[in-house]
Amino acid sequence: MSSPSRLTPEIAAGFARIALGHVTRPWPYKLDQVLTSEADLAEPRRLHPIFFGSFDWHSCVHGYWLLAAVRRRFPDHPVAVEIDARFAEAFTEAAVEGERAVLRRPLSRGFERPYGWAWLLKLQAELTGAPGPWAERLAPLAADFADRFRAHLPLAAYPVRTGVHSSTAFAVALALDYARVAGDQDLEDLLKSKALSWYGQDRDCQAWEPSGEDFLSPALMEAECLRRVLAPGDFRAWFAGFLPRAAAGEPASLFTPASVSDRSDGKIAHLDGLNLSRAWCWRSLAGALDPADPAAGAALAAAELHLEASLPHVAGDYMGEHWLASFALLALTSGEDP
């Protein structure tokens, strides 16, 4: 696959068909559950009647988000018919209640926190306003996860500054998209307040990354989170203090794509996701900076380098293929969404 600057119908359809091929693929599958007795043992499809494919629950959720995003952008493409059929089979009232039942099980408080929570809300935001009853069907499950954010954030005294699933910056960024689409002002205010308390005073980021299993940049994800929280002028001032040498391409680690040594290793393959998510963040951040700021040009150049490094590897080994297209879509559509 080449490295275009924006999404085309052909590339979008290719991403969608990748997702259609794995959201219902039952094996291999990695469960996220705490067993309290033998009664908790069940096949993934019994536990998760919607999100039983794509290797794990959260990847299946954002596989469906990808399908919904492609469906919205290219409603007349033939792949949209395939997506509609998949949604009709997946998003039934009974299946949604099955997914909700998992959340009510003992010791499920930490289930998919916060990454899966955020992607489920991002999926709901994408479905809202789309043709069909899908947003209405999924709304009770989305409300459950919104309530989990409401309960958890006041207890989270500290952020999780990581490049993997536990990243609080990533979770807040996606949850904000949902809160705004849903018109949930209380949740939006809570997310913004927490993000500012965690990150608002950060200065001169050293960016000691990547770690060997990152698929998110702790530094850039924090900046992307605050871009969604702060007014444009306030964000530019914050960014200038957070990455004061960005115009010079420093810290160099943020401007240099990660090398992926073994794409059959699921954790090492995370680094392709890092390159794609950095491209997403750099493009988004560049759009928020003053066009005359040299940092904006440096950000765009870095985005292109990161895309070139990993966009050709979205399809291939299943360890990456079951999830990378979602991050490629984020990168190629950066600037279109919140």
Side-chain angles (χ1 to χ4, degrees):
M1 183 178 293
S2 62
S3 298
S5 61
R6 290 295 172 191
L7 190 68
T8 66
E10 294 74 22
I11 291 173
F15 288 169
R17 292 201 166 97
I18 290 173
L20 287 166
H22 66 65
V23 294
T24 57
R25 176 174 169 172
W27 308 108
Y29 193 89
K30 182 181 179 182
L31 285 167
D32 177 10
Q33 66 178 125
V34 178
L35 302 177
T36 58
S37 72
E38 290 183 1
D40 290 341
L41 293 169
E43 291 185 5
R45 190 160 192 163
R46 288 184 57 199
L47 291 167
H48 303 296
I50 301 176
F51 306 117
F52 61 85
S54 303
F55 189 76
D56 51 37
W57 193 88
H58 52 257
S59 298
C60 198
V61 171
H62 65 71
Y64 276 102
W65 167 81
L66 181 152
L67 294 173
V70 170
R71 173 71 177 81
R72 173 169 64 83
R73 287 175 171 83
F74 304 103
D76 298 323
H77 195 284
V79 79
V81 177
E82 300 174 53
I83 294 171
D84 287 342
R86 175 88 297 272
F87 286 0
E89 185 172 345
F91 298 141
T92 67
E93 292 179 4
V96 170
E97 286 307 306
E99 292 286 350
R100 297 183 74 198
V102 172
L103 303 183
R104 295 191 290 267
R105 294 175 64 168
L107 301 181
S108 69
R109 180 178 178 181
F111 173 75
E112 290 286 351
R113 185 176 79 197
Y115 184 75
W117 299 9
W119 269 119
L120 192 286
L121 295 185
K122 181 73 168 173
L123 169 60
Q124 179 67 8
E126 186 63 53
L127 292 172
T128 299
W134 318 128
E136 182 179 357
R137 293 269 179 87
L138 206 61
L141 183 62
D144 289 344
F145 282 107
D147 286 343
R148 290 193 167 211
F149 271 108
R150 270 187 272 269
H152 177 66
L153 287 177
L155 305 176
Y158 310 103
V160 181
R161 301 176 184 274
T162 184
V164 292
H165 306 86
S166 51
S167 166
T168 45
F170 180 86
V172 168
L174 266 60
L176 274 169
D177 292 350
Y178 163 82
R180 287 164 176 160
V181 169
D184 191 333
Q185 190 64 53
D186 289 342
L187 179 59
E188 179 180 348
D189 290 345
L190 176 59
L191 291 162
K192 291 168 66 175
S193 174
K194 184 55 69 172
L196 286 171
S197 73
W198 285 337
Y199 309 122
Q201 300 306 310
D202 287 358
R203 298 291 183 272
D204 198 12
C205 178
Q206 301 304 298
W208 288 318
E209 56 177 87
S211 295
E213 299 178 356
D214 281 354
F215 64 89
L216 300 168
S217 163
L220 297 184
M221 200 64 246
E222 174 179 335
E224 172 60 10
C225 179
L226 284 200
R227 182 193 67 81
R228 296 162 185 245
V229 168
L230 294 169
D234 293 337
F235 173 73
R236 291 174 180 177
W238 177 88
F239 185 85
F242 182 64
L243 291 174
R245 294 171 296 282
E250 296 179 0
S253 59
L254 292 181
F255 293 82
T256 306
S259 175
V260 186
S261 61
D262 184 356
R263 291 186 167 87
S264 69
D265 183 299
K267 293 298 182 67
I268 296 175
H270 275 182
L271 294 167
D272 274 321
L274 173 67
N275 289 335
L276 295 170
S277 65
R278 278 184 175 181
W280 163 49
C281 289
W282 273 131
R283 281 184 161 185
S284 181
L285 295 170
L289 298 175
D290 187 326
D293 184 344
L300 288 175
E304 294 309 305
L305 284 176
H306 282 81
L307 269 179
E308 290 171 4
S310 285
L311 192 60
H313 303 290
V314 167
D317 194 281
Y318 193 61
M319 287 297 96
E321 188 174 292
H322 77 268
W323 66 280
L324 283 171
S326 296
F327 283 84
L329 186 65
L330 285 172
L332 292 176
T333 59
S334 183
E336 297 179 17
D337 293 328

